[in-house]
Amino acid sequence: MKINFHTIDWNACQSTHGGIEMRKMNKQAFFRTGGRALIYLFLIVTGFVFLYPLLKMLSMSMMSSEDLTNPLVIWIPYQVNWSNYSRAILVLGYFETLWTTIYVSVLPALLQTLVCSITGYGLAHYRFKGKGLIFGLVLATFIIPTQITMIPQFLMYRDLGILYSLKAYLLPAVMGQGMRSSIFVLIFYLFFRQVPVSLTEAAEVDGARQLVVFFKVAVPIALPGFLISFLLSTVWYWNETYLGSLYFGAEIKTLPMKLENFVDTFNKMVSASESQAGATANESVQMAGTFLIILPLLILYFITQKYFIEGIEKTGITGE
Amino acid sequence: MKKKKLTKPARDALRGWLCCLPWLAGFVIFTMYPIFSTLRMSFESVVISAEGLVTTPVGGDNYRRVFLADVTFPGILIDYVGSIVLEVPIVIVFSLIIALILSKEITGKGFFRTLFFLPVIIISGPIIEKFIDMGLMTIQGAQSNPILLGVLEVLPGSVSELLLKLIDSFVMILWFSGVQILLLLSALQKIDGAMYEAAHIDGASGWECFWKVTLPNVRNMIVICLIYTIVTISTFDTNTVITTIQDNMFQTSRGMGYASAQAWVYFLVLVLVIGFFMLLYGPRNEAVYGTTKLAKLELKRAKKLKKQQERELKKLYRESRRYQV
């Protein structure tokens, strides 16, 4: 009896084995399911390694100081200790700072997305001399580390009088030089390339102006590009701390910036108030603070993860 | 439009430049000018005083100090190069393996994709620092593993130190591979299934298929991932070179001129590292279509065929006209 090996459902074989003819194939089926199991095992282990810091953070954030030192307690604390969170919220000034962080990251991200979309559209839609040069410059800005430009930029902002205000983020964003702007220009270039030329030409023949073509034809097709750029750029502005603390000084403090001197602030606040006596900035409180800072990003990611994944994948598919 | 009408190419050129104008202006003001300004400052001594910045040209003094007088910086740079040469291949190989697995039919594919991309969202300097402080970025028990300790003892000091650092931040290295996994995954899914079938019929095993079909097809994407990885790791906040430069910036004893010189040295080293990886595994044209020679021959043959067909068509056309008359 000849059997086509490719058409057999090996999982089914495994479960209904016993027939004499099947005996021969069982060996192969065994290896195949074994291979599958190994692959799943590998995925699950790496998945766990990926999540390990986050899980550990979550478990540590709920421990009391006795649990931390107890070698028997590894993952699950004896008692869920919510006071860590209330202290962390107090130290971070959480809700106020959250609001600051949101507008510090969303406003520049919006501007950056807009400007980069126009640049990407220009590169994708029009044919002109010097395009290669502009492309080269865009790629070059990706490689240039911020450390080489930040000193003169700092001095420039000081001379312009926009240091220690959000304008220090907004101005470069308006000029297309925000956080990792070259990536966004490339993303938009790739997305606008997908707009069929016949469509824009048809609109032009019908008498539509360039702006109308852009907003009514190109933008709707490249909408996923806008979404992914806005989200990524918000996240990157959110997570930037060094440039932020350089340009804003003590005027604007975002959540990640506050995490940097969490322990100092904690000690100051504790020594100031008698009711908190005995509390130390142990690992649990620090982890609770870290979790609170990551939490908004996690929520954002779980709502929008589909767009993130699809956006990046589309970028990968359309361009090389 | 009552103004003088331009031809379409001219109008397109104008509009194209107009679209890129904000970006170009920004580039000149916020990138090009600062770069040259840092270059100039790296040859000066810059002191912040009450009246503002006081600069005095010192020639190549800053650079001399970076390499000869600074006790720590050259060592930090060498460490950086060593760790990046180790880390980048790990990131690339790891993301390629994950992408290969996820490109197969796997239940829970979407879940794993979401999971592996998660670090891209939350990664930031202070948070990573906290995690490293708490020892969350390492696999617990790895450092007390007897086999590993034995291996480390045999190796020379600097290498084992590098390895130890690698183990210390192992999870972090994996965390750098979120974007790369997705990019490689999309490149893998783009490969034509017929190619695998053809290879299979020719008797290629899965292993051979990987080296002869999969890898050449995703080569360009791997190059992109290489550059992306190098740049992200090099510009990340916890990078020691970066923190050193930043510390020096506002130190009165060293000052901005010295920090500028360091930044320039760092930039050049970064370019060299990228160049090194490009030499090792750069983009090649023949990657997708076998050898270029063959491809060129094929193209020639196709052109010849096309010309012949055109000639025949013309002949037919002429003949048909003759009969019409």
Side-chain angles (χ1 to χ4, degrees), chain B residues 73-85:
Chain B
F73 195 69
I76 290 171
L77 263 183
I78 290 166
D79 271 359
Y80 154 77
V81 172
S83 66
I84 211 155
V85 166

Side-chain angles (χ1 to χ4, degrees), chain B residues 271-316:
Chain B
V271 170
L272 279 180
V273 167
I274 291 177
F276 168 72
F277 275 103
M278 286 303 103
L279 271 183
L280 224 61
Y281 198 82
R284 308 258 150 86
N285 285 330
E286 70 265 38
V288 180
Y289 303 107
T291 52
T292 28
K293 232 182 203 171
L294 265 177
K296 269 182 192 161
L297 268 176
E298 195 88 355
L299 206 72
K300 232 183 205 170
R301 212 174 296 149
K303 269 184 188 160
K304 223 184 201 171
L305 207 72
K306 206 179 157 197
K307 253 185 201 163
Q308 206 179 336
Q309 278 174 342
E310 270 171 6
R311 227 177 290 139
E312 273 168 19
L313 260 177
K314 264 184 197 162
K315 220 162 139 194
L316 258 175

Side-chain angles (χ1 to χ4, degrees), chain B residues 6-297:
Chain B
L6 292 162
T7 55
K8 179 142 173 49
R11 258 183 299 155
D12 267 8
L14 195 68
R15 283 167 185 157
W17 278 101
L18 216 62
C19 280
C20 297
L21 197 65
W23 188 90
L24 266 176
F27 176 77
V28 171
I29 299 171
F30 293 112
T31 306
M32 209 155 88
Y33 165 73
I35 285 180
F36 286 113
S37 169
T38 337
L39 185 62
R40 208 194 57 226
M41 266 158 93
S42 71
F43 292 105
E44 284 168 346
S45 132
V46 184
V47 182
I48 306 174
S49 69
E51 301 103 68
L53 293 179
V54 182
T55 56
T56 38
V58 289
D61 214 28
N62 282 326
Y63 288 95
R64 216 168 297 133
R65 271 164 63 204
V66 166
F67 286 112
L68 300 177
D70 198 320
V71 194
T72 50
F73 195 69
I76 290 171
L77 263 183
I78 290 166
D79 271 359
Y80 154 77
V81 172
S83 66
I84 211 155
V85 166
L86 259 174
E87 283 170 14
V88 168
I90 291 177
V91 168
I92 296 291
V93 169
F94 173 76
S95 15
L96 192 60
I97 289 172
I98 294 287
L100 272 173
I101 290 175
L102 290 184
S103 69
K104 299 269 153 48
E105 277 159 39
I106 292 273
T107 31
K109 192 169 158 182
F111 168 75
F112 282 112
R113 267 190 316 190
T114 312
L115 182 70
F116 291 134
F117 193 69
L118 177 66
V120 178
I121 308 295
I122 55 175
I123 206 163
S124 76
I127 283 167
I128 295 298
E129 247 166 56
K130 273 272 170 321
F131 280 172
I132 290 175
D133 278 355
M134 305 279 163
L136 298 187
M137 279 315 198
T138 175
I139 300 157
Q140 231 139 48
Q143 261 158 324
S144 47
N145 191 322
I147 301 169
L148 203 82
L149 285 179
V151 171
L152 285 179
E153 255 170 46
V154 177
L155 291 167
S158 55
V159 177
S160 66
E161 210 170 282
L162 262 180
L163 272 179
L164 266 179
K165 231 169 80 188
L166 204 73
I167 293 162
D168 251 356
S169 52
F170 185 71
V171 181
M172 197 168 115
I173 296 167
L174 298 191
W175 272 26
F176 275 123
S177 49
V179 173
Q180 289 86 322
I181 289 174
L182 287 187
L183 287 178
L184 286 173
L185 189 58
S186 62
L188 283 174
Q189 279 163 346
K190 220 172 60 177
I191 300 174
D192 195 354
M195 276 172 132
Y196 287 107
E197 235 163 77
H200 208 76
I201 289 166
D202 285 349
S205 65
W207 182 246
E208 282 166 331
C209 270
F210 171 73
W211 290 103
K212 298 275 155 80
V213 181
T214 313
L215 212 54
N217 270 296
V218 294
R219 181 171 191 140
N220 286 339
M221 195 52 94
I222 291 179
V223 171
I224 291 175
C225 290
L226 265 176
I227 298 176
Y228 184 85
T229 316
I230 296 168
V231 171
T232 11
I233 293 182
S234 318
T235 51
F236 194 65
D237 281 350
T238 54
N239 191 322
T240 38
V241 185
I242 285 177
T243 44
T244 323
I245 295 173
Q246 285 166 353
D247 287 344
N248 282 336
M249 213 176 121
F250 291 108
Q251 256 182 24
T252 39
S253 61
R254 295 213 157 121
M256 290 185 180
Y258 186 70
S260 304
Q262 280 184 326
W264 259 96
V265 170
Y266 178 52
F267 180 40
L268 293 181
V269 169
L270 178 62
V271 170
L272 279 180
V273 167
I274 291 177
F276 168 72
F277 275 103
M278 286 303 103
L279 271 183
L280 224 61
Y281 198 82
R284 308 258 150 86
N285 285 330
E286 70 265 38
V288 180
Y289 303 107
T291 52
T292 28
K293 232 182 203 171
L294 265 177
K296 269 182 192 161
L297 268 176

